[in-house]
Amino acid sequence: MSAIAGLWRLDGSGAEAGCRAMLEAQRAYGADARDHWPGGDIAIGRNLARLLPEDRFDAQPAVGGGGRFVLVADVRIDNRAEIGAAIGLEDERLARWSDSALLLAAWERWEEGCLGHLVGDYAFGLWDSERRCLFLARDFAGSRPLHFHGAARLFAFASMPKGLHALPEIERAPDLAFAANAIEGRSPPASGSWFAGIETVRPGHLVTVSAAGAVQRRWWRPDPETIRLPGPEDYAEGLRDQLDRAVRSRLRGRESVAAHLSAGLDSAAVATSAAQLLAPAGRVVAFTAVARAGYCETRSPPLLDEGPPAAATAALWPNIEHVILPAAGPLPLDRIAEYCDLSDQPLPNLCNLHWSMAIADAARSRGLDVLLTGQYGNFAFSYDGLFLLPDLLRRGRLPALVRQSAALWRGGFARPRNLAGILARSFLAGGWAPPGERGQRLRPFEVNDLGRLLKGELARSGLDCRDPTADRRLVEFCLAVPPEEFLRGGIPRSLARRALAGRVPEAVLAERRKGVQAPDWHEPAAAQLGDLRAALSASAGAPAAGLLPLDRLHAMLDSWPDADWSRPAVSRDYRSRLLRPLSLAYFLDGANGKR
């Protein structure tokens, strides 16, 4: 993982000094090597963090095409053998090529078309001196961040906004309209960023920059065709194969890794696949964050205690070391500003910061620097299939809708009120013409953007977070599976449950309840009400204070002692309506240089 930067001064003045400053501002994201390519009015460079075996061969900026192309990339290619074979590289030679060199060779072969061939996590900038164009691109899931600023006299790009703020022409100030969307719970705009004057290269997009301006277009357009296999077990076998290939790619260079392990299917799938692939010599240290003993049983309705299911999964695999950590602790208010600065954005889930810090620190204390996650699983691997119901209604397939609803009823997975809610949410989101089942599933890949958070975690803990459930081959396979397979037998997530049979205990596969991250966060936080009030008061004089509903936030703190915390809905309400604005307050203060 690296941090990249580039500057093109369209007035013909020198760009080298500005590029150097941009790289220096991003030194926290790559301390192992730094270099840049000076081309007069354009300069591009990178800071390198060596995380892969082949990174010792990395010699960016990489120059190719007889000097025509210059590339800087933040990249991990997961289908190296496939790309190497396509460009005619023998295995022995390929082993001495860095991923950036392989990416450049792919561009030389296919130019923009290479994006359809690449599998992995990447963000890159490439200068084409013949066409006098810059190209910026990100992988389909946005696992690596990339931002840019365009003006009449310059164009600049950098992994993180702080790289762009190193230029005197780009003022560091929050984008208040963008932040207002977050406060009101709306999806972020398609363009823009948390900072004024800075755009995000969107996941799965390519930006082409010329003297005439910048044009951003989507390159990731998964094949709309549905695959047809002989029977249900063939789909399950196919999903297992895709999962194992995705996990194997992300184990690259490591004999032991850390992994999240909750009671859910995604983390269990990733951890057990890794254990199988690493056996017998390698190990998986699986971390589970749990609520205090007895907490979940006292909720109304009771919550799932994730500790026992996770322990049962780990017990099936001799090379899984299971580590249980407390999910909740005092809100680390003294660390919020640091995290906001490293991620260049507000923290989305402040109450999860305690356990995420504990897991990262525990992993590094064991000498581990790769953490496997399953954050995108709900949208592909463990998709529940429920978007099929409003799609059937939209298409007027009422008999099929009745059959699917009846099967869910018989299996005890839904009641009329639940089914009505599923249908209503779809139509409320899409109006009278809601997107189809496939469109609903693609939506998260359009709005989720985790790249900055992953980069921030690397800078804080040195932990490289890798998500096999965000593998493009796995996601595209799941998108091509008939949606009925995910609801087979009236069982949501049926395909994932079948694929994990034998790897995960039957009781875990049959579990209908969902776990909640840090459900007891409010208990230790109750002792911090004074600190929370002080933090809000400190934001009152900030330029962006008008965005924050400070009266409502103080009222929520005042009503805290009388809130009915036995109801999970109360905790969810305080998470979204208090903690998120509080995190945003810290970010806005930092963006204005106050904290």
Side-chain angles (χ1 to χ4, degrees):
M1 187 178 283
S2 303
I4 63 176
L7 174 61
W8 183 7
R9 292 203 176 275
L10 299 171
D11 60 4
S13 57
E16 183 176 2
C19 183
R20 287 178 180 269
M22 296 166 74
L23 293 173
E24 173 61 23
Q26 299 181 98
R27 64 187 182 278
Y29 310 106
D32 293 326
R34 181 188 304 176
D35 207 348
H36 70 284
W37 174 86
D41 61 347
I42 185 166
I44 62 177
R46 69 91 175 91
N47 296 335
L48 176 66
R50 291 193 178 97
L51 300 172
L52 302 168
E54 296 82 6
D55 282 344
R56 65 185 184 276
F57 303 117
D58 189 278
Q60 295 185 63
V63 181
R68 175 184 172 184
F69 304 123
V70 185
L71 169 80
V72 287
D74 178 10
V75 58
R76 188 196 68 247
I77 295 178
D78 292 331
N79 61 336
R80 281 175 57 91
E82 178 184 324
I83 299 296
I87 62 177
L89 277 180
E90 306 86 359
D91 290 346
E92 183 178 347
R93 189 178 175 201
L94 176 63
R96 298 191 298 273
W97 276 44
S98 67
D99 284 19
S100 58
L102 195 59
L103 171 56
L104 179 58
W107 186 277
E108 289 177 309
R109 173 71 178 272
W110 297 294
E111 296 197 14
E112 295 99 315
C114 77
L115 298 172
H117 294 269
L118 297 173
V119 175
D121 299 349
Y122 59 82
F124 68 82
L126 182 138
W127 171 247
D128 184 335
S129 59
E130 182 177 296
R131 295 166 63 181
R132 295 288 292 176
C133 282
L134 265 173
F135 296 92
L136 310 177
R138 292 179 74 192
D139 67 80
F140 88 104
S143 301
R144 306 290 170 93
L146 191 57
H147 302 80
F148 65 91
H149 169 87
R153 300 182 61 184
L154 68 84
F155 183 92
F157 69 88
S159 292
M160 301 294 277
K162 59 172 52 67
L164 296 168
H165 289 141
L167 298 174
E169 295 92 341
I170 305 177
E171 180 185 4
R172 179 181 170 86
D175 185 322
L176 300 185
F178 194 93
N181 277 278
I183 281 286
E184 296 169 13
R186 299 196 301 264
S187 297
S191 60
S193 77
W194 288 99
F195 290 95
I198 293 179
E199 298 283 322
T200 301
V201 179
R202 297 166 63 190
H205 280 66
L206 172 73
V207 178
T208 303
V209 187
S210 67
V215 177
Q216 182 159 195
R217 65 175 178 84
R218 173 172 288 283
W219 68 261
W220 183 58
R221 298 186 182 280
D223 190 337
E225 294 298 317
T226 299
I227 60 174
R228 299 293 177 182
L229 300 179
E233 285 312 305
D234 296 288
Y235 290 106
E237 182 180 355
L239 183 58
R240 278 192 299 271
D241 291 344
Q242 294 287 343
L243 170 68
D244 290 341
R245 180 170 62 173
V247 173
R248 183 181 294 108
S249 297
R250 284 154 183 80
L251 293 175
R252 177 174 153 206
R254 299 297 182 273
E255 295 182 355
S256 296
V257 295
H260 285 163
L261 181 59
S262 69
L265 299 183
D266 300 311
S267 62
V270 170
T272 57
S273 175
Q276 176 175 277
L277 294 168
L278 289 171
R283 68 186 177 117
V284 176
V285 182
F287 294 95
T288 305
V290 301
R292 68 162 173 81
Y295 177 88
C296 293
E297 293 84 349
T298 64
R299 303 303 95 181
S300 179
L303 297 173
L304 174 63
D305 182 348
E306 301 205 72
T313 297
L316 290 181
W317 299 88
N319 62 335
I320 291 184
E321 175 190 347
H322 191 212
V323 179
I324 294 179
L325 298 169
L331 296 173
L333 301 179
D334 59 333
R335 305 295 298 277
I336 301 175
E338 173 195 0
Y339 268 74
C340 289
D341 177 64
L342 289 174
S343 300
D344 270 341
Q345 70 166 66
L347 294 177
N349 293 297
L350 175 56
C351 54
N352 291 340
L353 184 54
H354 175 85
W355 64 258
S356 65
M357 287 171 53
I359 288 177
D361 294 344
R364 291 314 308 264
S365 72
R366 289 166 168 78
L368 304 173
D369 61 0
V370 169
L371 174 67
L372 300 181
T373 68
Q375 297 182 84
Y376 275 95
N378 286 342
F379 314 130
F381 176 83
S382 67
Y383 168 50
D384 59 18
L386 293 177
F387 286 142
L388 176 62
L389 303 183
D391 188 59
L392 293 173
L393 178 60
R394 181 182 66 90
R395 291 186 287 150
R397 295 183 56 192
L398 299 185
L401 174 60
V402 170
R403 286 195 301 271
Q404 291 288 353
S405 300
L408 286 167
W409 169 276
R410 288 193 301 268
F413 286 97
R415 293 289 182 265
R417 182 176 179 181
N418 305 123
L419 295 171
I422 292 167
L423 298 174
R425 282 194 299 273
S426 176
F427 278 81
L428 288 173
W432 291 108
E437 188 267 349
R438 184 181 176 87
Q440 295 268 31
R441 294 175 64 189
L442 286 172
R443 177 64 175 162
F445 296 102
E446 297 174 357
V447 300
N448 287 356
D449 193 340
L450 301 179
R452 287 182 299 271
L453 294 172
L454 298 177
K455 189 71 75 177
E457 184 57 49
L458 174 71
R460 189 202 74 82
S461 67
L463 204 59
D464 183 11
C465 298
R466 303 179 185 178
D467 186 355
T469 64
D471 185 281
R472 183 163 68 88
R473 299 162 298 190
L474 171 62
V475 170
E476 291 179 353
F477 173 84
C478 292
L479 288 171
V481 169
E484 291 81 4
E485 286 298 321
F486 297 93
L487 269 179
R488 178 169 286 277
I491 301 174
R493 296 181 168 83
S494 172
L495 182 56
R497 296 175 200 266
R498 284 179 275 142
L500 293 177
R503 296 188 178 189
V504 174
E506 183 59 36
V508 175
L509 296 179
E511 180 60 65
R512 302 178 185 184
R513 296 169 296 170
K514 289 184 178 181
V516 177
Q517 295 176 331
D520 55 335
W521 68 271
H522 59 92
E523 292 188 343
Q528 298 176 276
L529 297 184
D531 294 333
L532 293 172
R533 289 189 181 92
L536 292 175
S537 297
S539 300
L547 288 179
L548 299 170
L550 292 175
D551 289 343
R552 188 196 78 198
L553 300 179
H554 280 289
M556 293 184 77
L557 291 176
D558 291 340
S559 63
W560 184 301
D562 300 320
D564 183 6
W565 293 102
S566 68
R567 297 172 54 230
V570 172
S571 179
R572 290 196 299 269
D573 187 51
Y574 269 77
R575 281 177 185 244
S576 62
R577 298 179 65 237
L578 174 68
L579 294 191
R580 286 185 183 176
L582 178 66
S583 178
L584 181 59
Y586 273 83
F587 168 76
L588 293 173
D589 288 353
N592 283 296
K594 185 175 178 182
R595 289 189 196 266

